[in-house]
């Protein structure tokens, strides 16, 4: 890695660094993802209904469940200190979603 690349990475916000670590963890689980950052938060886009966001302290994403009591979506959270475990959990959710929410032909065409 060049000195310029090291400086560029060092300037990124904590959320962006945490998101990038999660993306790399997902890659090791054979799951592709994109990182988007701005305004002190970062998003890891994995699949339809699977978007992980982080503030640099915690990863959060929708579990796919809704509270019976409130009718609101239930989210899970993992500390960014263990991106490998978080990546395994996100990969598990990704595989659940792939079974029930296959990509549309348009999205599949663009991804190939």
């Amino acid at each position: 890695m060049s000195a310029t690349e090291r400086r560029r990475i060092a300037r990124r916000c904590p959320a962006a660094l945490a998101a990038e670590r999660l993306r790399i963890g997902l890659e090791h689980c054979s799951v592709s993802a994109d990182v988007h950052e701005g305004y002190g938060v970062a998003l890891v886009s994995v699949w339809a209904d699977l978007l992980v966001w982080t503030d640099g302290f915690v990863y959060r994403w929708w579990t796919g469940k809704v509270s019976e009591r409130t009718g609101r979506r239930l989210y899970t959270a993992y500390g960014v200190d263990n991106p490998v475990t978080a990546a395994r959990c996100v990969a598990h959710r990704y595989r659940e979603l792939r079974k029930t929410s296959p990509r549309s032909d348009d999205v599949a065409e663009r991804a190939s």
Side-chain angles (χ1 to χ4, degrees), residues 64-112:
K65 298 176 182 153
V66 176
S67 169
E68 289 180 22
R69 188 172 57 86
T70 64
R72 294 183 179 172
R73 288 181 168 199
L74 298 174
Y75 292 84
T76 193
Y78 277 81
V80 298
D81 58 335
N82 196 345
V84 173
T85 299
R88 280 196 304 253
C89 293
V90 172
H92 176 74
R93 177 74 182 124
Y94 165 77
R95 288 182 182 93
E96 286 177 343
L97 284 168
R98 287 220 32 182
K99 291 177 188 173
T100 59
S101 303
R103 294 191 292 189
S104 71
D105 291 337
D106 185 42
V107 173
E109 184 179 308
R110 282 190 254 156
S112 61

Side-chain angles (χ1 to χ4, degrees), residues 20-75:
E20 188 60 29
R21 287 192 297 270
L22 180 63
R23 187 198 63 76
I24 291 167
L26 287 167
E27 194 173 87
H28 288 281
C29 295
S30 301
V31 176
S32 298
D34 296 317
V35 173
H36 308 276
E37 61 180 281
Y39 302 101
V41 296
L43 306 174
V44 183
S45 177
V46 183
W47 194 258
D49 282 332
L50 184 52
L51 180 69
V52 181
W53 70 96
T54 181
D55 55 5
F57 298 100
V58 177
Y59 298 116
R60 292 178 180 89
W61 65 93
W62 181 40
T63 62
K65 298 176 182 153
V66 176
S67 169
E68 289 180 22
R69 188 172 57 86
T70 64
R72 294 183 179 172
R73 288 181 168 199
L74 298 174
Y75 292 84

